[in-house]
Structures are given as structure tokens and as C-alpha cells.
Amino acid sequence: MFKKILIANRGEIACRVATTARRLGVATVAVYSDVDAQAAHVRACDEAVHIGGAAARDSYLQWQRILDAALATGAQAVHPGYGFLSENEDFARACAAAGLVFIGPPAEAIAAMGSKSAAKSLMEKAGVPLVPGYHGRDNDPALLQREADRIGYPVLIKASAGGGGRGMRRVDRAEDFAAALASCQREAQASFGDDHVLVERYVSRPRHIEIQVFADGHGQCVYLFERDCSVQRRHQKVLEEAPAPGMSAARRAEMGAAAVAAAQAVGYVGAGTVEFIVEPEAGADAGSEVGRFYFMEMNTRLQVEHPVTEAITGHDLVEWQLRVASGERLPATQDALRMRGHAIEARICAENPDAGFLPATGRLDVLRWPAHVAFTRHASGSGHEPSAAVRVDAGVREGDAISPHYDSMVAKLIVWGEDRAQALARLDAALAQTHIVGLQTNVAFLRRVVASRSFAEADLDTALIERERAVLFDQQGLPLHWAAAGVIAQALQAESALQGADPWSRRDGWRIHGGARRRFDLKRGEVHHIATLERHHDGRLQLAMGEASWPLAVTALGGDRHDITLGGERRTLAVHAVGETVAVFGTEGSVELQDFDPIAHAGDHAEAGGRLTAPMPGKVVALLARAGDTVERGQPLAVMEAMKMEHTIAAPRDGVVAELLYAVGDQVGEGAELLRLAD
Ligand code: ADP
Ligand code: ADP
Ligand code: MG
């Protein structure tokens, strides 16, 4: 085993690798950028080396500096995590050239799977089933159009060098093909520096099921069962689970064998994932058996969702990686691998699901996790230690900032249960206990996905989020009057703390700001709400909002928690106040309100009229209008990229573009004015 390794990554994966290394007695070296000097991953490691500026290309992608750091600290191996340099064959080669072990597959295997088209040609030879399509080298547009016509619509055009759901275009009609091809190639060139594409049949209502494979340097290769990652947004995973509902033992063995064949065809060593797209059987219904499967791609690294596999097998995949990279044999044979129970992972991201999953930045003013076991203790080799019911893999702590420089995933919540129903219940409870204040996250959205009919009944396919739209988006969660009651409870508690007395037990003398009536101005989003609290002479309280009014009683439970009785119903609410923002969490969800001073904010929006500003810091990747163009409300005007996602900025009203203030390629700050609209 290694004595010391360098972890060439940040965030949760760097922390996660450090945890296993520590358990195995392996010392760790972190690397960090300017903005990460105090980051959790730096604290999690034994040593740390500064490698450059905030932008990934100035630090986490600077491989010479990373290699220098490894050599200077005496590390023997480099763990790349995922993202960044993990699938960079040149980096893998450079590690070897510097005398360092790259904890990942051989550079040749990364190269072979790096191009989706070339990988498909290899897989065809290895007898792995492929989606019918065209993956040749010749990318002549007329030829591609003929191939698409032959395959039959809908088809999917994919960037051969693609990843992260980027560059993919679904085409429903022959006449739309040429335009979609051009746009896919543009994005592929811009994102991956390579405009090669492949065309394949678009599988309707597919499931994404992937197989975890592991190979050692002694010719052994096993599969650690499957993960179902069908719940996606923008072709990116949101929830992942293992095992896949409806998977028969026979189909599992078949897919496992295909995945092992795929790995062996490229001389694979280490952890890898073979992704398959699964077509529903004709006439199949919810929760039915896993249908026909086709190879999609192989990810030559550890995957974000690997913890669900750890939870059902009891094996620590990072430990396996370290053992295999140091020359040991695989810790278990295929026959010895067993799975138990059901696990689900939820990716917690800083984003606004109601605004097209726009990434969010900001400070994690409040960050509370459910009660959990920080990390499952795994028994090497044997597996099957009792799994933690709830595991949190986070790379942040309360008070940390989510910056625009890296991706928007904040943490992962992983639950395990004896069966899917128990795992679902635990996930819902764990999400309800996850309190994040200070920036927008998808926590409430995830709870709604988990509670949706489709997910609850395991009616899984990649269109699940779209199909359940009505119950997933723009939901109010906790009713507003309950949230208002929470805010008021907190205000009263704060006042009683100031006065050194409990206003709820005092029968006399207590005045709310000298009177028996107090008005609370609360803002939720752009809407202003007024709540009025009235105190009767006998001490009873009455809360009024709009036309309605309810008797209110509050008991402080200590910390942020309050027992609130409103109109005869009782709930426990957690209230977190940060500056003017008050977040209230209840079992139905959460509501964020601004304590709003109507006078101070009068006239705020007076001059906003013709300005179009960047919703977050990022890069301008396309301008879709020119100065002088007449545009209609809703028409896309510019595309920005931040945190590895693209965002379209649309005209808020009809008008004429007066001026463009930035050019394609420019970096812009949050709130920067991008263009001006005139009437
Ligand atoms: P997976 O199939 O493992 O979910 P993703 O495509 O979602 O793969 O990417 C995995 C993770 O890798 C992302 O959440 C992100 O942290 C990281 N990542 C992906 N691409 C990049 C990139 N170009 N630069 C930095 N990190 C990346
Ligand atoms: P990436 O490299 O971006 O991960 P993949 O090829 O793995 O690209 O595909 C990502 C997602 O796109 C899949 O999980 C699936 O939702 C969708 N997808 C890919 N291929 C097809 C297809 N042929 N038909 C329908 N959906 C597809
Ligand atoms: Mg993929």
C-alpha cells in the first residue's frame, strides 16, 4: 500500500478519498486554488499545496504544478477524483513519466473510451450491444443526414468527445437535422475543442442503467452490480439508486457480462462504469422488468454515484482503487460479491429548479445535515458490514461559499434501507432535516421528486422530471401562514431573550413594541405579504394574513426549533434567521422570507427597465441578437455559461436592442449589464 498520495481534486470527492486513505493509514496531500485555502478538503488532508488561481484552468487543471506538488511532498501516487484531470490520458501518462502512480486506468484505456464514436467501434467488435446508429469517422453533413434518415426519427446527435450532457441534440424531423447538426458541432467545438459527432436512434422513454466494473493488474475483472440513474435533468443525474427496480437476476448477469467484456476489450484496470441505455419492452408498465440494453459510453473513473454501490455491497470502492493501484489483487471475486438492501443518492446542488436549474452562488449561512454516520466502516474483502442508514458526503462546511468557479454540486445524501420503501422513507426524512440557508438549493425539489408518483412507484425513465412537472415546480411547500408564524415565533423569542424574560408565560406588562398589535412585512420572491400579530389582554395571540386569521401559540423548544399551534393545529418548525432572510423548515418543506422594510425599499425597481443583467458570474458564450434588432418578449438574446451549464437570457419585453456591452468569450460578474433594450 502507498505511504502517501496526492489528491488532485477538491470538494466532496477529495474529502471522501481522504477519509478512506486515513482509515488505511495512507497520508494525504491536498492541492488548492486561491479561493480554497480554507476549504474542507484542505482540512481533511495531512498536507496541502497551493497551485494557483481560482479558475480551474489556473489550478486544478494545471497538471505540471500538481505533479511538482506530488514530487515535492514525496507522494507516490495521484488520485484524480472525477471531473478535472480524471479522464485526461495525457495527465495519466505524465504521472507515469514523473514516476508517480496514476490511481486510475491505463492511459490507453482512457484514450480508447475517450471518443464515444471510436469506443462504439471497439464495442461492436467485442460483441457489446449498441444503439442502432452511425459512429464512423466521416462527418460529411450530407452523409450524416442520409444516416439519420436511414436510422429513422427521432435521432440523437452526440458530440463524440462529449460529457456532462453537453452538445446533445434530439431531432424529430428530417428537415430539422441540418440545423441541429450545426448547433451540436458548434457546442462540441466550443466545449471540447472537437466537433466530431455520432448519430443514433433516440430511444423513447429509456432508462439509464450502468454497471460498476473493477479490474486489477492480474487479469481479474468483476462487476459490482448496477445503478439506475434515470432521474435526470438536462441529461445529468439527479437521483441514483441500486439495485435497479425490475432487474431480474438473468438480466443483471447479462449486463454484468457485457460490461466486463467492454472493460476487457480496452485492457481496463481500476474502477470504471459502463453506461447502458435501456429500452422499455413494448406495452410494459410501471416498475416492469428491465428491457433491452445498449452500450452508451464508459466512464473511465470513479463515478459521483459510487456510494450507492458501496451501500449495497459493503465494499469501499476507494479502498479498492488504492489496493489495485498499488499492485494488489481485487479484494473480492465475482462469486463472493453480494448485495443487500436498497440505496439511493440525492445530489444536492446550489441551483434554482424553478428557473431552469440556474446554478446559484453564495454563502452557506446555515448548513445542517440530518443525523448520520459520517462514513460507513467497511471491512476489507468481506463486505457486508451493516450499512449506515444515512451518509452525507460533503465538501463544504457552514460558512463556506459556493463560488462560480466550480460546479454546483454541494454534497450528496445517501440512504440505505432493507428495501426500496424503507430507503425512500429515509431519504425523505433526511432531506427534510437538511437545512440550507444563504443560497438556493434543490433540496425541496428533491423531496418532491422522491414523493412523486413516478418515483415512488419506480416508474423510472429519463423523462420522469418532465412528466411530473406539475407537482415538481413552483410549489409553495410549507403554507405561507405557517412560515409567517415561524418568523413571528422567532422574532418573539429574540425579543424575550433581549428582555431576559419569557413573554409567553407573562400575563401582564408585555407589549409588542409598546402596543398590542404588530405588523410584519414579509417578502417572498417578489411578492410582499403583510402578517399582523395581535395580542389580547389575556395574553392570547391572533395571527392575521389577508382575509384570514388564526389563534397562535408558540413554545420555544431551544435552538432554532419552535412548537407552533395555529388555529388548533400543531407543528414543529425550525427557523433560521440570517440578516434579513428568515428560512422556515417544516415537514411539508421550507419557505424563505425576507424581513421587508417597505419604506427602505421604495423605488428599488425604478430604473431596471431597459437593462439586461447577468444572473450570475460567468462567460458569454453566444450573442443571439445585434444592435438595432427588433426583438419580442421571450426571445433569446444571449447565452451565458457558468458552473458548466448554459443559460439563455431572454428579452423581458418587446423592444429594440440598443447596445451590446460584452462580446462572446468575455467573463462577466453577477449583475453585470449585458445589453440594453430600447422601445
Ligand atoms: P457522472 O456520470 O459521474 O455523474 P458527470 O458528468 O455528472 O458524471 O460529472 C461528474 C462530476 O465531475 C461532476 O459533478 C463534476 O463534479 C465533475 N466534472 C465533470 N466535468 C468536469 C469538468 N469539465 N471540470 C471539472 N469538473 C468536472
Ligand atoms: P454524457 O457523456 O453527457 O454522459 P451519455 O452518452 O452518457 O452522455 O448520455 C447522457 C444521457 O443522455 C443518458 O443518460 C440519457 O438520458 C440520454 N441519452 C443518451 N443516449 C440516448 C439515446 N440514444 N436515446 C435517448 N436518450 C439518450
Ligand atoms: Mg454519460
Side-chain angles (χ1 to χ4, degrees):
M1 183 48 67
F2 305 113
K3 289 200 165 51
K4 192 190 266 189
I5 61 169
L6 179 139
I7 303 172
N9 215 297
R10 64 181 303 283
E12 62 90 17
I13 184 59
C15 294
R16 191 253 165 278
V17 172
T19 306
T20 292
R22 167 146 310 161
R23 184 165 60 73
L24 299 176
V26 177
T28 49
V29 182
V31 289
Y32 64 93
S33 70
D34 286 351
V35 291
D36 278 345
Q38 307 297 324
H41 77 275
V42 171
R43 302 284 181 89
C45 291
D46 302 306
E47 290 171 66
V49 180
H50 174 244
I51 50 164
R57 64 174 177 281
D58 298 328
S59 48
Y60 299 103
L61 293 174
Q62 282 285 338
W63 32 283
Q64 193 53 55
R65 286 186 212 160
I66 291 173
L67 295 179
D68 291 346
L71 295 173
T73 52
Q76 299 157 291
V78 177
H79 194 301
Y82 37 67
F84 297 131
L85 298 168
S86 59
E87 292 178 278
N88 186 319
E89 56 184 279
D90 296 327
F91 179 65
R93 281 201 192 92
C95 284
L100 295 160
V101 176
F102 175 75
I103 303 174
E108 296 69 35
I110 300 179
M113 290 296 184
S115 152
K116 289 196 203 313
S117 328
K120 288 200 162 176
S121 301
L122 275 173
M123 292 304 111
E124 206 163 31
K125 288 200 200 90
V128 179
L130 300 182
V131 188
Y134 171 79
H135 50 260
R137 281 296 301 169
D138 190 348
N139 263 209
D140 172 50
L143 169 83
L144 292 173
Q145 172 93 54
R146 277 200 305 281
E147 288 293 336
D149 294 347
R150 177 184 61 81
I151 296 162
Y153 296 88
V155 298
L156 193 64
I157 311 176
K158 280 188 194 178
S160 192
R166 309 276 306 265
M168 245 179 262
R169 298 286 184 283
R170 173 187 162 149
V171 188
D172 292 312
R173 303 176 311 171
E175 55 268 42
D176 300 334
F177 185 83
L181 174 63
S183 122
C184 172
Q185 287 182 317
R186 232 184 353 258
E187 189 174 348
Q189 185 64 46
S191 310
F192 312 109
D194 176 348
D195 69 359
H196 258 87
V197 302
L198 63 91
V199 183
E200 62 188 34
R201 181 159 70 75
Y202 183 87
V203 179
S204 68
R205 297 201 56 177
R207 283 168 71 177
H208 172 124
I209 299 181
E210 57 187 34
I211 304 284
Q212 174 73 56
V213 293
F214 231 109
D216 64 18
H218 305 273
Q220 293 304 305
C221 184
V222 300
Y223 63 92
L224 289 97
F225 317 112
E226 76 280 2
R227 296 183 285 259
D228 188 313
C229 314
S230 300
V231 183
Q232 303 181 345
R233 54 132 170 74
R234 300 177 171 210
H235 302 298
Q236 288 180 333
K237 298 157 189 167
V238 174
L239 290 171
E240 301 105 339
E241 60 183 302
M247 179 71 94
S248 66
R251 184 49 55 92
R252 176 174 295 125
E254 218 184 317
M255 291 181 78
V260 167
Q264 285 175 330
V266 297
Y268 207 78
V269 178
T273 295
V274 182
E275 296 188 331
F276 293 101
I277 190 139
V278 175
E279 186 160 42
E281 305 282 8
D285 35 285
S288 60
E289 296 238 317
V290 171
R292 287 182 65 149
F293 62 93
Y294 307 101
F295 172 86
M296 238 181 338
E297 66 166 341
M298 180 169 187
N299 292 324
T300 52
R301 54 170 160 87
L302 194 67
Q303 205 98 331
V304 172
E305 55 275 20
H306 74 276
V308 294
T309 300
E310 298 185 323
I312 62 159
T313 61
H315 288 286
D316 177 336
L317 297 188
V318 172
E319 176 179 342
W320 281 41
Q321 286 190 299
L322 296 178
R323 294 198 181 284
V324 164
S326 64
E328 293 180 29
R329 289 177 181 278
L330 285 179
T333 60
Q334 190 69 58
D335 289 343
L337 288 165
R338 296 273 180 282
M339 40 177 214
R340 186 183 143 196
H342 199 96
I344 312 177
E345 172 180 278
R347 295 191 188 197
I348 296 178
C349 298
E351 65 185 19
N352 181 359
D354 292 332
F357 299 98
L358 185 76
T361 56
R363 212 178 86 102
L364 295 158
D365 292 316
V366 174
L367 178 63
R368 301 288 152 80
W369 296 118
H372 63 278
V373 178
F375 194 78
T376 320
R377 251 213 70 97
H378 296 269
S380 143
S382 65
H384 281 288
E385 285 289 288
S387 283
V390 179
R391 162 175 164 184
V392 176
D393 278 16
V396 288
R397 292 153 308 175
E398 196 166 86
D400 285 353
I402 299 299
S403 80
H405 305 293
Y406 314 111
D407 75 87
S408 60
M409 197 172 79
V410 175
K412 304 179 307 202
L413 199 58
I414 305 103
V415 296
W416 180 89
E418 289 289 350
D419 54 22
R420 190 171 191 268
Q422 191 180 55
L424 268 172
R426 282 186 177 158
L427 182 55
D428 182 62
L431 285 166
Q433 291 167 34
T434 300
H435 297 174
I436 302 178
V437 185
L439 45 71
Q440 278 168 321
T441 72
N442 62 344
V443 172
F445 173 80
L446 288 169
R447 281 194 73 193
R448 293 194 289 271
V449 177
V450 170
S452 70
R453 186 208 57 83
S454 295
F455 193 73
E457 292 178 7
D459 179 9
L460 304 173
D461 64 80
T462 59
L464 186 145
I465 288 179
E466 205 40 49
R467 179 165 69 246
E468 294 282 1
R469 280 206 82 78
V471 297
L472 298 183
F473 296 100
D474 290 309
Q475 295 294 316
Q476 305 298 309
L478 188 67
L480 193 66
H481 60 286
W482 278 99
V487 174
I488 289 166
Q490 214 253 348
L492 295 176
Q493 193 190 346
E495 275 168 31
S496 81
L498 273 180
Q499 295 167 4
D502 174 14
W504 309 110
S505 57
R506 276 168 64 167
R507 295 241 143 220
D508 60 356
W510 182 60
R511 288 289 177 272
I512 312 164
H513 279 272
R517 184 188 267 261
R518 176 168 163 187
R519 173 176 151 156
F520 289 82
D521 283 278
L522 303 169
K523 235 177 95 177
R524 173 167 202 217
E526 287 308 306
V527 190
H528 179 183
H529 300 275
I530 298 166
T532 313
L533 181 68
E534 211 171 325
R535 180 182 173 270
H536 297 291
H537 61 281
D538 60 1
R540 285 183 300 112
L541 296 167
Q542 188 80 15
L543 167 69
M545 280 184 87
E547 302 290 288
S549 138
W550 309 263
L552 169 71
V554 175
T555 314
L557 298 177
D560 309 300
R561 295 177 356 116
H562 305 267
D563 244 351
I564 295 179
T565 310
L566 196 60
E569 254 184 84
R570 191 172 61 97
R571 275 171 225 211
T572 304
L573 300 178
V575 187
H576 303 273
V578 182
E580 287 190 344
T581 302
V582 189
V584 184
F585 295 84
T587 44
E588 296 109 314
S590 63
V591 170
E592 227 171 80
L593 293 161
Q594 250 69 45
D595 218 340
F596 177 66
D597 180 348
I599 296 156
H601 290 83
D604 264 8
H605 298 289
E607 40 67 64
R611 292 156 44 98
L612 273 164
T613 56
M616 74 194 111
K619 191 167 102 181
V620 178
V621 294
L623 289 166
L624 307 171
R626 276 181 299 210
D629 284 0
T630 303
V631 297
E632 283 171 23
R633 178 166 183 232
Q635 183 174 330
L637 301 179
V639 182
M640 279 189 59
E641 185 195 271
M643 301 166 101
K644 303 207 312 272
M645 288 237 224
E646 283 190 1
H647 310 280
T648 304
I649 291 147
R653 59 185 172 80
D654 297 351
V656 175
V657 177
E659 203 181 343
L660 300 175
L661 299 158
Y662 287 94
V664 170
D666 285 350
Q667 206 68 37
V668 297
E670 182 176 348
E673 188 173 0
L674 296 175
L675 48 94
R676 286 197 185 121
L677 268 189
D679 292 322

Coordinates of all heavy atoms in Angstrom, one line a residue, residues 306-344:
H306 N -21.0 6.5 -6.9 CA -20.5 5.2 -6.4 C -20.9 4.8 -5.0 O -21.0 3.7 -4.7 CB -18.9 5.2 -6.5 CG -18.3 6.1 -5.4 ND1 -18.1 7.4 -5.6 CD2 -17.8 5.7 -4.2 CE1 -17.5 7.9 -4.5 NE2 -17.3 6.9 -3.6
P307 N -21.3 5.8 -4.1 CA -21.7 5.4 -2.8 C -22.9 4.5 -2.7 O -23.0 3.7 -1.8 CB -22.0 6.7 -2.1 CG -21.2 7.7 -2.8 CD -21.2 7.3 -4.2
V308 N -23.8 4.5 -3.7 CA -25.0 3.6 -3.6 C -24.5 2.1 -3.8 O -25.0 1.2 -3.2 CB -26.1 3.9 -4.6 CG1 -26.8 5.2 -4.2 CG2 -25.7 3.9 -6.0
T309 N -23.4 2.0 -4.6 CA -22.9 0.6 -4.8 C -22.2 0.2 -3.5 O -22.3 -0.9 -3.0 CB -21.9 0.6 -5.9 OG1 -22.6 1.0 -7.1 CG2 -21.2 -0.7 -6.1
E310 N -21.5 1.1 -2.8 CA -20.8 0.8 -1.6 C -21.9 0.4 -0.5 O -21.6 -0.5 0.3 CB -20.0 2.0 -1.1 CG -18.9 2.4 -2.1 CD -18.0 3.5 -1.6 OE1 -18.5 4.5 -0.9 OE2 -16.8 3.5 -1.8
A311 N -23.0 1.1 -0.5 CA -24.0 0.9 0.5 C -24.6 -0.5 0.3 O -24.9 -1.2 1.3 CB -25.1 1.9 0.4
I312 N -24.8 -1.0 -0.9 CA -25.5 -2.3 -1.1 C -24.4 -3.5 -1.0 O -24.8 -4.6 -0.8 CB -26.4 -2.4 -2.3 CG1 -25.6 -2.3 -3.6 CG2 -27.5 -1.5 -2.2 CD1 -26.2 -2.8 -4.8
T313 N -23.2 -3.2 -1.3 CA -22.2 -4.3 -1.3 C -21.4 -4.3 0.0 O -20.8 -5.3 0.3 CB -21.2 -4.2 -2.5 OG1 -20.5 -2.9 -2.3 CG2 -21.9 -4.2 -3.8
G314 N -21.3 -3.2 0.7 CA -20.5 -3.1 1.9 C -19.0 -3.0 1.6 O -18.1 -3.1 2.5
H315 N -18.6 -2.7 0.3 CA -17.2 -2.5 -0.1 C -16.9 -1.1 -0.3 O -17.8 -0.3 -0.8 CB -16.9 -3.3 -1.3 CG -16.8 -4.8 -1.1 ND1 -15.8 -5.4 -0.4 CD2 -17.7 -5.8 -1.4 CE1 -16.0 -6.7 -0.3 NE2 -17.1 -7.0 -0.9
D316 N -15.7 -0.6 0.1 CA -15.3 0.7 -0.1 C -14.5 0.8 -1.4 O -13.4 0.3 -1.6 CB -14.4 1.1 1.1 CG -13.8 2.5 1.0 OD1 -13.7 3.0 -0.2 OD2 -13.5 3.1 2.0
L317 N -15.1 1.5 -2.4 CA -14.5 1.4 -3.8 C -13.2 2.2 -3.8 O -12.4 2.0 -4.7 CB -15.5 2.0 -4.8 CG -16.8 1.1 -5.0 CD1 -17.6 1.6 -6.2 CD2 -16.5 -0.4 -5.1
V318 N -13.1 3.2 -3.0 CA -11.8 4.0 -3.0 C -10.7 3.1 -2.4 O -9.6 3.1 -2.9 CB -12.0 5.3 -2.2 CG1 -10.6 6.0 -2.1 CG2 -12.9 6.2 -3.0
E319 N -11.1 2.3 -1.4 CA -10.1 1.3 -0.9 C -9.7 0.4 -2.0 O -8.5 0.1 -2.2 CB -10.7 0.6 0.3 CG -9.7 -0.5 0.8 CD -10.3 -1.3 2.0 OE1 -11.2 -0.8 2.6 OE2 -9.7 -2.4 2.3
W320 N -10.6 -0.1 -2.8 CA -10.3 -1.0 -3.9 C -9.4 -0.3 -4.9 O -8.4 -0.9 -5.4 CB -11.6 -1.4 -4.6 CG -12.4 -2.5 -3.9 CD1 -12.6 -2.6 -2.6 CD2 -13.0 -3.6 -4.6 NE1 -13.4 -3.8 -2.4 CE2 -13.7 -4.4 -3.6 CE3 -13.1 -4.0 -5.9 CZ2 -14.4 -5.5 -3.9 CZ3 -13.9 -5.1 -6.2 CH2 -14.5 -5.9 -5.2
Q321 N -9.7 1.0 -5.1 CA -8.8 1.7 -6.1 C -7.4 1.8 -5.6 O -6.4 1.6 -6.3 CB -9.3 3.2 -6.2 CG -10.6 3.3 -7.1 CD -10.8 4.8 -7.4 OE1 -11.0 5.6 -6.5 NE2 -10.8 5.1 -8.7
L322 N -7.2 2.1 -4.3 CA -5.9 2.2 -3.7 C -5.2 0.9 -3.8 O -4.0 0.8 -4.1 CB -5.9 2.8 -2.3 CG -6.5 4.2 -2.2 CD1 -6.5 4.6 -0.7 CD2 -5.6 5.2 -3.0
R323 N -5.9 -0.2 -3.4 CA -5.3 -1.5 -3.4 C -4.8 -1.9 -4.8 O -3.7 -2.4 -5.0 CB -6.2 -2.6 -2.8 CG -6.5 -2.3 -1.3 CD -7.0 -3.6 -0.7 NE -7.3 -3.3 0.7 CZ -6.4 -3.2 1.7 NH1 -5.1 -3.4 1.4 NH2 -6.7 -2.9 2.9
V324 N -5.8 -1.8 -5.8 CA -5.4 -2.2 -7.1 C -4.3 -1.4 -7.7 O -3.4 -1.9 -8.3 CB -6.7 -2.1 -8.0 CG1 -6.4 -2.1 -9.5 CG2 -7.7 -3.2 -7.7
A325 N -4.3 0.0 -7.4 CA -3.2 0.8 -8.0 C -1.9 0.5 -7.4 O -0.8 0.7 -8.0 CB -3.6 2.3 -7.7
S326 N -1.9 0.0 -6.1 CA -0.6 -0.4 -5.5 C -0.2 -1.8 -5.9 O 0.8 -2.3 -5.3 CB -0.6 -0.1 -4.0 OG -1.6 -1.0 -3.4
G327 N -0.9 -2.4 -6.8 CA -0.5 -3.7 -7.3 C -1.2 -4.9 -6.7 O -0.9 -6.1 -7.1
E328 N -2.1 -4.7 -5.7 CA -2.7 -5.9 -5.1 C -3.8 -6.4 -6.0 O -4.2 -5.8 -7.0 CB -3.4 -5.4 -3.8 CG -2.4 -5.0 -2.7 CD -3.2 -4.6 -1.4 OE1 -4.3 -5.1 -1.2 OE2 -2.6 -3.8 -0.7
R329 N -4.2 -7.6 -5.7 CA -5.3 -8.2 -6.4 C -6.7 -7.6 -6.0 O -6.7 -7.1 -4.9 CB -5.4 -9.8 -6.1 CG -4.2 -10.5 -6.8 CD -4.2 -12.0 -6.4 NE -3.1 -12.6 -7.1 CZ -3.0 -12.9 -8.4 NH1 -4.1 -12.8 -9.1 NH2 -1.9 -13.4 -8.9
L330 N -7.7 -7.8 -6.8 CA -9.1 -7.4 -6.3 C -9.4 -8.0 -5.0 O -9.2 -9.2 -4.8 CB -10.1 -7.8 -7.4 CG -10.2 -7.1 -8.7 CD1 -11.3 -7.7 -9.6 CD2 -10.5 -5.6 -8.5
P331 N -10.0 -7.2 -4.1 CA -10.3 -7.7 -2.8 C -11.4 -8.8 -2.8 O -11.5 -9.5 -1.8 CB -10.8 -6.5 -2.0 CG -10.2 -5.3 -2.7 CD -10.2 -5.7 -4.1
A332 N -12.2 -8.9 -3.8 CA -13.2 -10.0 -3.8 C -13.4 -10.6 -5.2 O -13.2 -9.8 -6.2 CB -14.5 -9.4 -3.3
T333 N -13.8 -11.8 -5.3 CA -14.0 -12.4 -6.6 C -15.5 -12.2 -6.9 O -16.3 -11.8 -6.0 CB -13.8 -13.9 -6.5 OG1 -14.7 -14.5 -5.5 CG2 -12.3 -14.2 -6.2
Q334 N -15.9 -12.4 -8.2 CA -17.3 -12.2 -8.5 C -18.2 -13.1 -7.7 O -19.3 -12.6 -7.2 CB -17.5 -12.6 -10.0 CG -18.8 -12.3 -10.6 CD -19.0 -10.7 -10.7 OE1 -18.2 -10.1 -11.4 NE2 -20.0 -10.2 -10.0
D335 N -17.9 -14.3 -7.4 CA -18.8 -15.2 -6.6 C -19.0 -14.7 -5.2 O -20.0 -15.0 -4.6 CB -18.2 -16.6 -6.6 CG -18.3 -17.3 -8.0 OD1 -19.1 -16.8 -8.8 OD2 -17.6 -18.3 -8.2
A336 N -17.9 -14.0 -4.7 CA -18.0 -13.6 -3.3 C -18.8 -12.3 -3.1 O -19.2 -11.9 -2.0 CB -16.6 -13.4 -2.7
L337 N -19.1 -11.6 -4.2 CA -19.8 -10.3 -4.2 C -21.3 -10.6 -4.0 O -22.0 -11.3 -4.7 CB -19.6 -9.5 -5.4 CG -18.2 -8.9 -5.5 CD1 -17.9 -8.4 -7.0 CD2 -18.0 -7.8 -4.6
R338 N -21.9 -9.9 -3.0 CA -23.3 -10.0 -2.7 C -23.9 -8.6 -2.6 O -23.2 -7.6 -2.3 CB -23.5 -10.7 -1.3 CG -23.0 -12.1 -1.3 CD -24.1 -13.1 -1.7 NE -23.6 -14.4 -1.6 CZ -22.8 -15.0 -2.5 NH1 -22.4 -14.3 -3.6 NH2 -22.4 -16.2 -2.4
M339 N -25.2 -8.4 -2.8 CA -25.8 -7.1 -2.5 C -26.9 -7.3 -1.5 O -27.5 -8.4 -1.4 CB -26.3 -6.4 -3.7 CG -27.0 -7.3 -4.7 SD -27.5 -6.3 -6.0 CE -29.0 -7.1 -6.4
R340 N -27.1 -6.3 -0.7 CA -28.1 -6.3 0.3 C -28.8 -5.0 0.4 O -28.2 -3.9 0.5 CB -27.4 -6.7 1.7 CG -28.4 -6.9 2.7 CD -27.8 -7.2 4.1 NE -28.6 -6.5 5.1 CZ -28.3 -6.3 6.3 NH1 -27.0 -6.6 6.7 NH2 -29.1 -5.7 7.1
G341 N -30.1 -5.0 0.5 CA -30.9 -3.8 0.7 C -31.0 -2.9 -0.5 O -30.7 -3.4 -1.6
H342 N -31.3 -1.7 -0.3 CA -31.5 -0.7 -1.4 C -30.9 0.6 -1.0 O -31.1 1.0 0.2 CB -33.0 -0.6 -1.6 CG -33.3 0.0 -3.0 ND1 -33.6 -0.8 -4.1 CD2 -33.3 1.3 -3.4 CE1 -33.8 0.0 -5.1 NE2 -33.6 1.3 -4.8
A343 N -30.2 1.3 -1.9 CA -29.6 2.6 -1.6 C -30.0 3.6 -2.6 O -30.2 3.3 -3.8 CB -28.1 2.4 -1.5
I344 N -30.2 4.8 -2.2 CA -30.5 6.0 -3.1 C -29.6 7.1 -2.7 O -29.4 7.4 -1.6 CB -32.0 6.4 -3.0 CG1 -32.9 5.2 -3.0 CG2 -32.3 7.4 -4.1 CD1 -34.4 5.6 -2.8

